[in-house]
Amino acid sequence: MASAEEMTIPAAPASATPPSAEPMPFALRVSERLRKFVEFVGRWGSWLVVPMVLFTIIDVVARKIHWLDEQGRLHGLQVFLVSVFGRMFESTMLQELEWHFHAGLFALVLGYGYVMNSHVRVDLIRENLTFRKKAWLELLGITFFYIPFCLTIIWFAFSYARGSFLMNEISASTVGLTHRWIIKSVLFFGLVTALVAGISVWLQVAVALFGDPARRFRLMTLDWPEEAGNRIEGKERVKLEGSMDSLAAPDDKLREKTSKILTDG
């Protein structure tokens, strides 16, 4: 009879490596890098809203403020600003700066809105589909509509900016802005960023469809099946039941909160 020292216990089979501990697929790594680039452009581009609002306020307010001096002569704030700081505060210049900053803001956050899934979706069919059908719809939509459309308008935007640069285009107004090729180049760059956003989402959806079904990662435009009911298009669903009424008077809120504490106790 074999001794206890000679007896061997077969080793238990090694457990499979959890999907989360496995190396991230190459397609997902590329998708993440593209997404970070789009987010970087979008976050910095969103700051254009500050000068856009500022110039709009100055343009509207400065034209409405007037006063009379001791000799009865009429003066205006806008005339004063132009005489002190220069032509930048002329009405035409301010209005063109407004739409330049607005165009830049829109162009640079277009792709950011897609990767953050903040664009409005008017859809009566997609919301009732299963996860895989939604993913297929996203993949086919990007492949046959989003990317071809972006490539088309990028081509025209490049010709638009190049022609403006070669002819040294200026404003149609004689007192407007010069170097119009700058804002047209920003438009071109924003459209390229939107294309990069589409490629990032395409790679991610392709991994979700054809990769390991047990792997989970943060989706940009879809929700995993187990998130159904808790999230809507990447946003956390707000449950009104059980929450305090934000419009209630402070005393009513306090009484409601106290009642909940006593009830739970």
Side-chain angles (χ1 to χ4, degrees), residues 50-256:
V50 176
M52 182 190 73
V53 172
L54 182 62
F55 282 118
T56 303
I57 293 174
I58 293 174
D59 183 33
V60 173
V61 173
R63 284 184 293 169
K64 302 298 181 181
I65 298 180
H66 303 86
W67 67 88
L68 294 173
D69 61 11
E70 295 178 354
Q71 286 76 31
R73 291 175 299 186
L74 181 65
H75 298 272
L77 178 59
Q78 190 164 37
V79 176
F80 171 77
L81 292 174
V82 172
S83 63
V84 175
F85 298 104
R87 292 185 57 246
M88 186 182 71
F89 287 94
E90 291 180 356
S91 183
T92 301
M93 295 281 281
L94 288 174
Q95 290 176 23
E96 291 196 359
L97 282 171
E98 291 168 25
W99 71 259
H100 273 62
F101 281 117
H102 185 258
L105 172 66
F106 173 80
L108 296 180
V109 302
L110 190 61
Y112 179 79
Y114 187 37
V115 298
M116 297 301 292
N117 203 31
S118 58
H119 287 300
V120 177
R121 292 178 183 262
V122 183
D123 193 347
L124 301 177
I125 300 175
R126 182 178 183 273
E127 294 308 308
N128 298 318
L129 299 178
T130 62
F131 171 78
R132 291 192 64 83
K133 288 182 179 179
K134 287 181 181 180
W136 271 110
L137 190 63
E138 194 82 17
L139 188 74
L140 295 176
I142 296 173
T143 304
F144 295 106
F145 295 98
Y146 186 96
I147 291 179
F149 178 75
C150 284
L151 290 174
T152 302
I153 56 177
I154 284 172
W155 169 258
F156 284 104
F158 174 76
S159 302
Y160 196 48
R162 181 175 178 272
S164 178
F165 176 77
L166 292 177
M167 68 182 294
N168 195 23
E169 182 183 7
I170 61 174
S171 171
S173 172
T174 56
V175 293
L177 295 172
T178 59
H179 302 89
R180 183 156 286 186
W181 61 268
I182 296 177
I183 185 58
K184 293 184 176 182
S185 299
V186 172
L187 178 63
F188 167 76
F189 179 73
L191 293 171
V192 171
T193 306
L195 174 64
V196 172
I199 296 173
S200 176
V201 175
W202 189 94
L203 290 171
Q204 191 183 73
V205 174
V207 172
L209 280 172
F210 307 113
D212 184 0
R215 177 182 292 276
R216 290 293 182 265
F217 47 89
R218 185 173 74 88
L219 291 171
M220 289 182 273
T221 59
L222 296 168
D223 299 321
W224 292 109
E226 58 269 18
E227 294 176 341
N230 297 324
R231 300 178 67 83
I232 304 176
E233 300 296 346
K235 319 299 187 302
E236 185 175 355
R237 182 190 292 269
V238 177
K239 296 182 179 180
L240 298 179
E241 57 276 10
S243 62
M244 294 171 52
D245 185 3
S246 60
L247 300 179
D251 292 341
D252 295 337
K253 293 181 181 179
L254 181 60
R255 282 195 294 268
E256 184 181 351

